[in-house]
């Protein structure tokens, strides 16, 4: 592991060296906050009370799986709205903080500021250094411009976390689609009920394929290269062939049938004729209630879905009349593909929970596909890293590069090295090999792990990565038993477990010196907007208590982290808070062109030692700047100041910067307003995502070298160029939080919650990660928030428990089925107490010579995580349309390869999806229509840059819910149980006017209220007597003493606990203006920005696949 050489001095390493036999288990985290639910493993809020073991509800019933597996005879199928699967435990824990039934409590809110209690206002104390001068340059003429997208000057009543919700009519001609008018049909019918089923062609738990029978598209539509869905409407399936042979996927309708008829006159904007011959069931006629109908039909492992209800039109340009709310749309076209018969994310999630949620996932078996991220399961480490640390796109990878290329399935791992574990799981043990350090392969430097082979009676070991033979150091020698296993196998984590830590020796430290404990520097914008909004006072009040909860290691009594304080507008103010001072001292640096730190002694201090002075300072700051008129800010010099302070203190650390505006004051890193929405959908759109100056890239490099991470809290009232200001944060492994139009009353809880978590969470500093692989593959590409100065080492000034790094692998040789493939992720980092450590994660995968094995062992959620990150990086260099087309093409190739090589011969009219990829189309469509790749009119440039950066560090559970939000019917919740109501699919047609729903995507929580909701429910939840009285500006639900209110609030609290950020709550009334925002997240529907509906996109994918196959 290579380490950047950077001067580092510090106190001698004084930690006692624990014996390696008794693994010391590191305990992370700060002291628990009083009254806060505790989690024993996270830095966040301490230990967690009793984990709720999931208890299956009585009388569990669920709908038959869409996969076509024969349902157990005893199972009844119910309409999806009545699924009773959901219950607490199964619903919530996903690689994150486990849910608790207890409402989330937070530390007491900051005390209100009492004017009389403040010390006398402070002027400038302390002498200014001689070199400090006031700069008089006010940058006349530089004003923050606004553009069409950012002209809103007043905060919206309850906008999204990003961007003001504005009611913008859809742009005519901006999309390709006719309105997709959903119309409720007959109750959902089980697609497999009563129909013969084909045997899955492959054995195993996961069923292999989802077969969707599509009629071939009309000849006239097969050639349109880029406009999808097919402009002339749905082809139809003809009559049916015989039943499939056992062991085959079913055959589809023959292609020679007539497949194109004219449709009834389409709604006004439609251009294409509407085909639709009758369909029939493959193995039997459709039930009498469903006479033959035109349109696509689908088939699932041998059973047909049924067409129900009207069918949308697929063709035509997007007409500008969205299917939205109360807006009267054209009459629905007559026929449609039954949405219940296409693969349902809800069903897949539910099936996995039922099948895999009850047993622990034991990692002893190579190439085992873990349960989905949406399933609550426990992990038992028996030699491979937990899926909470590493998830792969496939757990069985092709032996050859040719095979991999043929399939187009990306081989990638999503790695979260410091992931938080639920309390029942064991943290990685800390192994101390003393002065000699960890045992490593002589050649490739891989760390000792369960896959190393000991030979020659235990005197040597052969490397599982490079095959090199290395002598076992004398102190590490141990005899082998009759099976060749070391007799101390179970005593040593590095021989028996997938994940563990080594205490690093001085060789792993910069400049061969053990590091000093890190420092946190709080840097507060005190310009006019920040002061006026109450933000400055809020931050100062919060810090007074929050500083008691800095990350702390194990049983240490207090945090080793030192703190410092800076305020700024267009000059910087440093504060001396040395414990010996009676009052804090301020030093002003106005020469921001050449930033330096005017004091060394007294800037970074121990909180407990300097508590009085710090409290005094935090009391005084809001007073000092209360009357400020300064509106301009600098930005880069603030980062430079923090960097210089850490350099001077010779330690790593984190800057917490609270910033409000575009930094236009004359200074290095000054930026101008270059927002231009006219660039959207042009070749220059990529510039909106690129930083406008390279200054910040260079600064980021310096910060990474020092271990200076930047966490950025943004409070913009207009464009502030997230793409540029976020560069340093992004490249140093930091986090960005954005609170547009920050208002104290509505946003303070969210901000404070985020700040508390951000300050307290587990974090490693000065981190370097390397992924080693066994011969045959190697890591070739990396996605995430980090910096790379070479092609192998991922460097991060800090890495916290929420951040993932996605690594892509390519073949450089053949792999063998016998030996499989191995990954070893080694993260070198400095703990919050200044201890240098290595965290090791190992994972073994299978290798295959048959493509079918690949397609049986893929994980679509991880695939989507990778594809989204790949696409979101692509927008930096390519037009967005190119990126979107490339995504579609790659996925079409993946599915076409399956169809060609793995599925049994069948009609081209069928879409056949691999069982474990049957959600690929729906999820891919969600990525394609996401704000970064297809922005709606309400999405600002800053929103897009922000989302782009967020997604790049997300884990699989986060991307899953971000792209396909969770939608829960609250009025279906059982107030007497801990369970969540069963989730439903993200489509407007699933909503009932008489119900209340919750939708969450990891950033926002919407509560949607139908117009016909019973008055009693409204009274119970909102405390008002009628629908019209519900305020849509609420940021929290009122605390009312009735079971429904308690239940809903507990659900919201529980969801908040699961996410790494506090989600903004938005109340949406049906047919209200805000509903348009909400509908943006109903991702199975056509979107206002032109995004295809799920049904349309599935048809489009089918067409793409057919073109590839023909
Ligand atoms: Zn090796």
């Amino acid at each position: 592991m290579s380490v950047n050489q950077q001067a580092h001095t510090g106190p001698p390493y004084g930690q006692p060296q624990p014996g390696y036999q008794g693994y010391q288990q590191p305990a992370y985290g700060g002291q628990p906050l009083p009254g806060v639910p505790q989690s024993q493993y996270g830095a966040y809020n301490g230990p967690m009370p009793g984990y709720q073991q999931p208890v299956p509800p009585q009388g569990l019933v669920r709908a038959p799986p869409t996969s076509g597996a024969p349902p157990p005879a005893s199972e009844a199928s119910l309409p999806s709205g009545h699924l009773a699967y959901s219950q607490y435990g199964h619903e919530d824990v996903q690689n994150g903080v486990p849910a608790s039934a207890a409402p989330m409590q937070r530390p007491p809110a900051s005390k209100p500021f009492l004017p009389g209690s403040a010390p006398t206002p402070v002027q400038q104390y302390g002498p200014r250094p001689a070199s400090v001068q006031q700069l008089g340059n006010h940058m006349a003429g530089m004003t923050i411009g606004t553009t069409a997208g950012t002209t809103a000057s007043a905060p919206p009543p309850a906008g999204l976390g990003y961007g003001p919700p504005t009611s913008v009519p859809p742009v005519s001609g901006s999309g390709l689609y006719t309105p997709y008018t959903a119309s409720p049909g007959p109750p959902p019918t089980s697609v497999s009920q009563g129909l013969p089923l084909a045997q899955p062609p492959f054995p195993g738990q996961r069923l292999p394929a989802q077969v969707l029978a599509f009629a071939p598209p009309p000849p006239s539509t097969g050639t349109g290269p880029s406009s999808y869905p097919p402009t002339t409407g749905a082809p139809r399936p003809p009559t049916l062939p015989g039943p499939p042979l056992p062991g085959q996927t079913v055959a589809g309708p023959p292609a020679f049938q007539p497949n194109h008829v004219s449709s009834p006159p389409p709604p006004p904007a439609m251009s294409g004729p509407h085909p639709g011959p009758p369909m029939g069931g493959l193995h039997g006629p459709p039930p009498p209630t469903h006479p033959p109908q035109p349109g696509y039909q689908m088939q699932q492992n041998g059973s047909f879905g049924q067409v129900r209800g009207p069918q949308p039109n697929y063709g035509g340009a997007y007409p500008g009349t969205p299917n939205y709310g109360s807006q009267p749309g054209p009459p629905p076209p007559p026929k449609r593909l039954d949405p219940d018969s296409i693969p349902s994310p809800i069903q897949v999630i539910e099936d996995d929970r039922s099948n895999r949620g009850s047993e622990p996932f034991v990692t002893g078996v190579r190439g085992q596909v873990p349960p989905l991220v949406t399933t609550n399961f426990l992990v038992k480490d028996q030699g491979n890293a937990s899926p909470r640390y590493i998830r792969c796109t496939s757990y069985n990878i092709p032996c050859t590069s040719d095979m991999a290329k043929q399939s187009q399935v990306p081989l990638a791992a999503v790695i979260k090295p410091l992931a938080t574990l639920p309390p029942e799981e064991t943290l990685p043990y800390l192994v101390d090999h003393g002065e000699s350090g960890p045992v490593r392969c002589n050649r490739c430097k891989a760390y000792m792990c369960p896959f190393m082979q000991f030979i020659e009676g235990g005197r040597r070991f052969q490397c599982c990565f490079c095959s090199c033979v290395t002598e076992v150091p004398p102190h590490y020698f141990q005899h082998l038993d009759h099976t060749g296993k070391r007799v101390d196998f179970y005593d040593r984590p590095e021989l028996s477990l997938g994940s563990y830590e080594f205490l690093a020796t001085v060789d792993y430290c910069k400049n061969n010196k053990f590091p000093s404990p890190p420092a946190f520097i709080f840097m507060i914008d005190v310009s006019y907007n920040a002061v006026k909004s109450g933000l400055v006072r809020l931050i100062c009040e919060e810090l007074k208590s929050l500083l008691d909860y800095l990350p702390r290691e194990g049983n240490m009594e207090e945090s080793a982290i030192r703190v410092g304080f800076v305020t700024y507008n267009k000059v910087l103010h440093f504060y001396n808070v040395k414990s010996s001072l009676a009052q804090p001292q301020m030093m002003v640096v106005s020469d921001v062109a050449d930033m330096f730190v005017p004091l060394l002694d007294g800037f970074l201090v121990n909180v407990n030692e300097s508590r009085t002075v710090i409290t005094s300072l935090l009391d005084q700051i809001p007073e000092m700047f209360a009357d400020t008129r300064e509106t301009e800010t600098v930005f880069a010099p603030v980062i430079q100041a923090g960097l210089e302070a850490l350099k001077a203190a010779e330690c790593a650390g984190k800057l917490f910067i609270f910033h409000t505006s575009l930094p236009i004051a004359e200074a290095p890193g000054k930026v101008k307003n270059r927002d231009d929405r006219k660039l959207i959908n042009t070749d220059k759109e990529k510039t909106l995502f690129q930083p406008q100056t390279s200054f910040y890239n260079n600064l980021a490099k310096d910060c990474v070298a020092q271990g200076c991470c930047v966490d950025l809290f943004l409070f913009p009232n207009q464009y502030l160029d997230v793409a540029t200001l976020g560069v340093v944060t992004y490249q140093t492994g930091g986090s960005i939080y954005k609170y547009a139009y920050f208002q104290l009353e509505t946003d303070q809880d969210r901000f404070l919650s985020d700040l508390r978590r951000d300050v307290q969470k587990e974090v490693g500093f000065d981190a370097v990660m390397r992924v080693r692989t066994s011969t045959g593959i190697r890591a070739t590409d990396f996605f995430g928030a980090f910096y790379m100065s070479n092609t192998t080492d991922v460097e991060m000034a800090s890495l916290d428990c929420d951040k993932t790094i996605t690594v892509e692998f390519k073949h450089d040789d053949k792999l063998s089925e016998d030996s499989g493939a191995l990954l070893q992720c080694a993260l070198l980092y400095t703990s919050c107490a200044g201890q240098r450590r290595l965290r090791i994660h190992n994972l073994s995968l299978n290798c295959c010579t048959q493509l079918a094995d690949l397609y049986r062992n893929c994980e679509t959620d991880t695939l989507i995580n990778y594809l989204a990150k790949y696409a979101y990086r692509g927008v930096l260099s390519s037009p967005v349309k190119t990126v979107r087309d490339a995504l579609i093409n790659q996925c079409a190739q993946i599915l076409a390869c399956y169809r060609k090589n793995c599925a049994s011969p069948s009609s081209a009219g069928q879409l056949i999806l691999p069982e474990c990829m049957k959600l690929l189309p729906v999820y891919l469509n969600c990525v394609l229509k996401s704000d970064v790749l297809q922005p709606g009119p309400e999405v600002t440039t800053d929103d897009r840059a922000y989302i782009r950066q967020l997604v790049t560090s997300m884990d699989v559970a986060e991307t899953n819910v971000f792209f396909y939000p969770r939608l829960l019917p609250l009025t279906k919740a059982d107030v007497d149980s801990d369970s969540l109501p069963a989730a439903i699919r993200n489509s407007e047609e699933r909503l009932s006017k008489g119900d209340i729903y919750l939708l969450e995507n990891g950033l926002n929580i919407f509560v949607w209220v139908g117009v016909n909701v019973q008055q009693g429910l409204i009274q119970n939840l909102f405390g008002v007597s009628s629908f019209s009285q519900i305020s849509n500006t609420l940021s929290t639900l009122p605390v009312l003493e009735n079971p429904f209110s308690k239940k809903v609030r507990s659900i919201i609290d529980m969801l908040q606990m699961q996410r790494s950020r506090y989600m903004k709550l938005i109340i949406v009334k049906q047919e209200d203006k805000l509903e348009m925002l909400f509908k943006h997240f109903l991702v199975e529907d056509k979107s206002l920005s032109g995004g295809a509906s799920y049904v349309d996109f599935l048809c489009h994918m089918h067409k793409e696949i057919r073109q590839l196959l023909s």
Side-chain angles (χ1 to χ4, degrees):
M1 172 103 8
S2 75
V3 174
N4 285 340
Q5 299 306 306
Q6 186 81 22
H8 236 290
T9 59
Y13 180 63
Q15 300 284 340
Q17 305 272 338
Y20 58 72
Q21 289 291 352
Y23 321 135
Q24 243 197 7
Q25 183 158 334
Y28 303 101
Q31 296 160 272
L33 282 170
V36 172
Q38 310 292 308
S39 146
Q40 73 176 34
Y41 51 91
Y44 182 51
N45 288 346
M48 178 96 185
Y51 174 74
Q52 307 265 330
Q53 193 69 20
V55 181
Q58 294 300 313
L60 179 80
V61 285
R62 60 188 181 85
T66 55
S67 60
S74 61
E75 277 188 53
S77 80
L78 287 179
S80 59
H82 296 274
L83 296 186
Y85 72 83
S86 167
Q87 33 108 359
Y88 221 50
H90 280 246
E91 188 69 27
D92 15 282
V93 182
Q94 319 156 0
N95 285 354
V97 180
S100 158
M104 182 158 69
Q105 297 165 24
R106 295 175 192 290
S110 303
K111 294 177 208 120
F113 179 75
L114 302 174
S117 66
T120 45
V122 180
Q123 314 77 27
Q124 306 230 139
Y125 11 49
R128 277 205 251 146
S131 59
V132 175
Q133 326 166 2
Q134 289 285 349
L135 261 186
N137 189 339
H138 278 263
M139 283 303 299
M142 287 290 292
T143 54
I144 303 173
T146 54
T147 67
T150 57
T151 46
S153 57
L160 272 178
Y162 45 89
T166 47
S167 179
V168 183
V171 182
S172 184
S174 70
L176 298 166
Y177 308 109
T178 50
Y180 176 88
T181 305
S183 165
T189 308
S190 160
V191 296
S192 56
Q193 217 170 11
L195 294 171
L197 296 162
Q199 292 294 316
F202 305 109
Q205 191 169 14
R206 294 194 163 217
L207 292 170
Q210 173 99 18
V211 183
L212 299 165
F214 285 79
S220 61
T221 63
T223 52
S226 65
S227 72
Y228 69 90
T231 52
T232 48
R236 56 142 196 170
T239 57
L240 302 159
L245 299 171
Q248 287 187 335
T249 50
V250 289
F256 55 78
Q257 295 283 338
N259 56 22
H260 187 173
V261 296
S262 291
S263 68
M270 276 181 32
S271 60
H274 186 75
M279 71 160 271
L282 180 58
H283 305 293
T289 51
H290 300 283
Q293 299 193 44
Y296 292 119
Q297 57 180 314
M298 72 84 62
Q299 181 184 347
Q300 302 182 12
N301 282 359
S303 56
F304 261 118
Q306 289 152 357
V307 173
R308 64 157 209 194
Q311 185 175 5
N313 291 285
Y314 304 106
Y318 185 62
T321 45
N323 168 30
Y324 167 65
S326 57
Q327 192 173 358
K335 302 299 174 194
R336 60 176 299 198
L337 172 61
D338 180 1
D340 282 333
S341 63
I342 57 180
S344 160
I346 302 299
Q347 191 66 54
V348 170
I349 288 169
E350 168 56 11
D351 289 346
D352 195 72
R353 281 185 185 140
S354 304
N355 295 332
R356 308 199 65 184
S358 50
E359 294 294 316
F361 179 69
V362 180
T363 71
V365 180
R366 186 175 84 186
Q368 210 183 0
V369 183
L372 299 180
V373 287
T374 41
T375 297
N376 175 24
F377 60 99
L378 288 179
V379 181
K380 210 166 170 345
D381 185 342
Q382 287 196 356
N384 283 289
S386 160
R388 301 187 207 285
Y389 295 123
I390 307 181
R391 280 189 177 262
C392 294
T393 52
S394 177
Y395 292 82
N396 197 332
I397 61 181
C399 279
T400 67
S401 154
D402 284 349
M403 232 175 111
K405 277 180 196 147
Q406 190 186 357
S407 76
Q408 283 289 312
V409 176
L411 305 175
V414 179
I415 308 177
K416 197 177 186 183
L418 298 179
T420 307
L421 303 183
E424 305 81 350
E425 293 179 14
T426 312
L427 285 166
Y429 293 101
L430 180 60
V431 179
D432 181 5
H433 283 168
E435 286 179 10
S436 53
V439 177
R440 305 175 68 173
C441 167
N442 269 348
R443 185 200 286 158
C444 75
K445 303 296 180 193
Y447 295 85
M448 181 52 65
C449 73
F451 308 112
M452 298 289 189
Q453 280 293 321
F454 286 89
I455 54 176
E456 297 175 27
R459 288 187 298 276
R460 294 171 175 222
F461 68 93
Q462 183 166 32
C463 179
C464 51
F465 296 94
C466 73
S467 302
C468 171
V469 172
T470 301
E471 297 269 342
V472 173
H475 72 87
Y476 198 69
F477 174 80
Q478 187 54 266
H479 293 286
L480 308 182
D481 67 13
H482 65 283
T483 66
K485 194 186 266 184
R486 280 172 62 121
V487 298
D488 61 353
F489 179 84
Y490 292 106
D491 300 328
R492 291 187 178 272
E494 75 275 19
L495 298 182
S496 52
L497 298 178
S499 300
Y500 42 87
E501 294 203 322
F502 289 116
L503 202 57
T505 63
V506 74
D507 298 336
Y508 295 83
C509 303
K510 282 179 181 173
N511 253 13
N512 285 338
K513 284 179 183 163
F514 283 110
S516 304
F520 282 179
I521 304 178
F522 298 92
M523 316 184 87
I524 308 167
D525 177 346
V526 290
S527 66
Y528 179 76
N529 278 340
V531 173
K532 194 186 71 172
S533 66
L535 182 63
V536 173
R537 176 150 293 158
L538 182 68
I539 294 168
C540 290
E541 281 300 317
E542 177 62 25
L543 286 180
K544 282 192 233 168
S545 52
L546 187 55
L547 293 179
D548 288 333
Y549 304 103
L550 299 177
R552 197 167 53 95
E553 197 152 61
N555 47 11
M556 290 174 67
E557 284 195 2
E558 62 174 28
S559 174
I561 292 174
R562 288 172 294 165
V563 297
F565 303 89
V566 170
T567 57
Y568 67 94
N569 37 49
K570 64 181 195 183
V571 300
L572 275 75
H573 324 99
F574 294 79
Y575 297 94
N576 185 342
V577 283
K578 201 173 174 180
S579 59
S580 56
L581 293 174
Q583 281 289 305
Q585 293 179 341
M586 175 201 260
M587 316 228 172
V588 179
V589 175
S590 49
D591 181 9
V592 292
D594 185 18
M595 189 43 62
F596 67 98
V597 179
L599 76 166
L600 294 179
D601 191 27
F603 179 67
L604 293 177
V605 298
N606 173 291
V607 172
N608 284 336
E609 288 169 8
S610 289
R611 181 173 302 278
T612 316
V613 195
I614 291 173
T615 303
S616 173
L617 171 68
L618 293 171
D619 280 336
Q620 291 174 42
I621 286 174
E623 295 304 310
M624 278 188 281
F625 300 99
D627 299 321
T628 186
R629 297 263 164 238
E630 185 55 70
T631 56
E632 291 188 357
T633 56
V634 295
F635 185 69
V638 181
I639 298 175
Q640 288 172 321
L643 171 62
E644 292 303 318
L646 294 179
K647 271 187 192 167
E650 297 177 326
C651 67
K654 198 182 255 202
L655 314 183
F656 297 84
I657 302 182
F658 306 92
H659 190 79
T660 61
S661 61
L662 196 69
I664 53 167
E666 188 57 48
K670 179 182 80 173
V671 294
K672 60 178 187 291
N673 189 336
R674 45 87 187 232
D675 186 19
D676 185 359
R677 290 180 64 85
K678 289 197 291 296
L679 298 183
I680 293 174
N681 290 325
T682 70
D683 284 355
K684 288 186 177 164
E685 185 170 2
K686 61 189 177 202
T687 60
L688 296 175
F689 297 109
Q690 297 164 346
Q692 60 173 284
T693 159
S694 62
F695 184 89
Y696 289 94
N697 295 82
N698 296 328
L699 182 55
K701 189 176 169 187
D702 293 345
C703 285
V704 171
Q706 179 60 37
C708 170
C709 174
V710 177
D711 278 2
L712 195 51
F713 294 80
L714 296 172
F715 307 87
N717 288 335
Q718 54 195 330
Y719 177 74
L720 52 55
D721 202 343
V722 171
T724 301
L725 266 51
V727 165
V728 179
T729 296
Y730 186 61
Q731 295 194 21
T732 59
S735 304
I736 298 187
Y737 301 84
K738 185 162 156 287
Y739 310 89
Y741 307 101
F742 179 82
Q743 283 188 303
L744 212 54
E745 315 81 69
T746 51
D747 297 318
Q748 75 167 17
D749 286 350
R750 186 162 59 102
F751 160 58
L752 291 181
S753 178
D754 286 341
L755 175 62
R756 286 167 193 155
R757 189 176 199 280
D758 194 64
V759 166
Q760 297 178 62
K761 69 183 168 187
E762 190 198 337
V763 58
F765 295 91
D766 227 341
V768 185
M769 187 185 99
R770 180 179 284 192
V771 178
R772 290 181 174 80
T773 48
S774 51
T775 310
I777 53 167
R778 63 194 167 85
T780 53
D781 209 347
F782 303 84
F783 304 82
F786 51 73
Y787 174 81
M788 291 187 78
S789 56
N790 58 41
T791 56
T792 54
D793 294 330
V794 174
E795 298 175 46
M796 292 151 289
S798 88
L799 174 70
D800 64 52
C801 57
D802 297 324
K803 297 284 189 309
T804 63
I805 296 110
T806 295
V807 183
E808 186 179 7
F809 303 95
K810 290 256 162 68
H811 287 76
D812 57 8
D813 204 345
K814 270 190 176 171
L815 298 165
S816 93
E817 283 180 294
D818 288 344
S819 48
L822 296 174
L823 314 178
Q824 182 177 76
C825 163
L827 177 79
L828 175 64
Y829 71 99
T830 302
S831 76
C832 62
Q835 196 176 59
R836 200 73 173 147
R837 291 181 180 167
L838 284 148
R839 180 170 288 200
I840 313 294
H841 298 297
N842 302 287
L843 187 64
S844 61
L845 303 171
N846 284 329
C847 296
C848 57
T849 54
Q850 299 298 316
L851 281 164
D853 290 328
L854 166 68
Y855 283 99
R856 259 188 303 169
N857 291 281
C858 285
E859 195 184 53
T860 296
D861 293 335
T862 309
L863 202 54
I864 288 292
N865 179 285
Y866 165 85
L867 290 172
K869 290 174 179 178
Y870 182 80
Y872 280 19
R873 186 176 68 185
V875 300
L876 288 172
S877 51
S878 305
V880 170
K881 183 173 186 315
T882 308
V883 171
R884 291 161 43 83
D885 289 347
L887 268 189
I888 294 171
N889 186 262
Q890 182 170 9
C891 288
Q893 289 196 45
I894 290 171
L895 298 175
C897 175
Y898 174 81
R899 171 64 181 262
K900 189 175 172 188
N901 298 285
C902 305
S904 53
S906 59
S907 150
Q910 286 185 318
L911 172 59
I912 303 181
L913 302 172
E915 174 63 19
C916 66
M917 285 189 189
K918 67 183 180 185
L919 297 181
L920 187 60
V922 59
Y923 286 162
L924 176 68
N925 188 38
C926 296
V927 174
L928 291 170
K929 63 206 262 189
S930 63
D931 289 339
V932 171
L933 297 183
Q934 192 163 17
E938 80 286 1
V939 179
T940 67
T941 301
D942 274 345
D943 293 338
R944 299 177 75 198
Y946 176 63
I947 297 291
R948 197 188 74 79
Q949 291 207 7
L950 282 187
V951 168
T952 304
S953 291
M954 280 185 183
D955 68 14
V956 179
E958 286 173 319
T959 49
N960 179 263
V961 78
F962 179 76
F963 288 112
Y964 192 92
R966 178 153 55 168
L967 181 58
L968 306 173
L970 292 175
T971 27
K972 299 273 195 290
D974 177 359
V975 295
D976 296 322
S977 87
D978 285 342
S979 67
L980 286 173
I984 59 171
R985 291 168 65 173
N986 287 320
S987 173
E988 188 177 1
E989 73 174 66
R990 310 276 167 179
L991 303 179
S992 148
K993 290 180 173 187
D995 286 316
I996 301 174
Y997 298 85
L998 180 150
L999 181 145
E1000 67 120 353
N1001 73 341
L1003 296 182
N1004 299 293
I1005 292 179
F1006 291 90
V1007 173
W1008 182 93
V1009 188
V1011 287
N1012 292 345
V1013 174
Q1014 284 174 24
Q1015 199 180 330
L1017 287 173
I1018 290 176
Q1019 182 72 48
N1020 282 345
L1021 193 57
F1022 298 101
V1024 297
S1025 57
S1026 72
F1027 179 81
S1028 61
Q1029 288 177 296
I1030 299 170
S1031 163
N1032 58 12
T1033 59
L1034 294 174
S1035 61
T1036 55
L1037 291 172
V1039 178
L1040 302 173
E1041 286 302 313
N1042 65 75
F1044 184 55
S1045 173
K1046 284 182 187 168
K1047 176 66 186 175
V1048 170
R1049 284 181 288 117
S1050 83
I1051 289 175
I1052 291 175
D1053 289 343
M1054 192 182 70
L1055 298 176
Q1056 295 282 21
M1057 288 284 286
Q1058 290 176 26
R1059 303 296 171 208
S1060 61
R1061 288 161 185 257
Y1062 197 81
M1063 293 179 278
K1064 179 168 185 161
L1065 181 69
I1066 300 166
I1067 311 290
V1068 178
K1069 292 154 76 177
Q1070 188 180 8
E1071 297 174 8
D1072 190 69
K1073 193 173 59 177
L1074 271 176
E1075 198 187 19
M1076 189 158 64
L1077 270 180
F1078 172 75
K1079 288 186 178 178
H1080 182 62
F1081 297 93
L1082 296 176
V1083 290
E1084 289 198 24
D1085 297 341
K1086 187 188 298 291
S1087 71
L1088 287 178
S1089 50
S1093 72
Y1094 176 18
V1095 171
D1096 289 353
F1097 185 71
L1098 198 57
C1099 297
H1100 176 66
M1101 281 303 283
H1102 185 220
K1103 187 179 136 197
E1104 295 279 321
I1105 293 165
R1106 285 169 53 85
Q1107 281 182 354
L1108 288 170
L1109 291 173
S1110 63

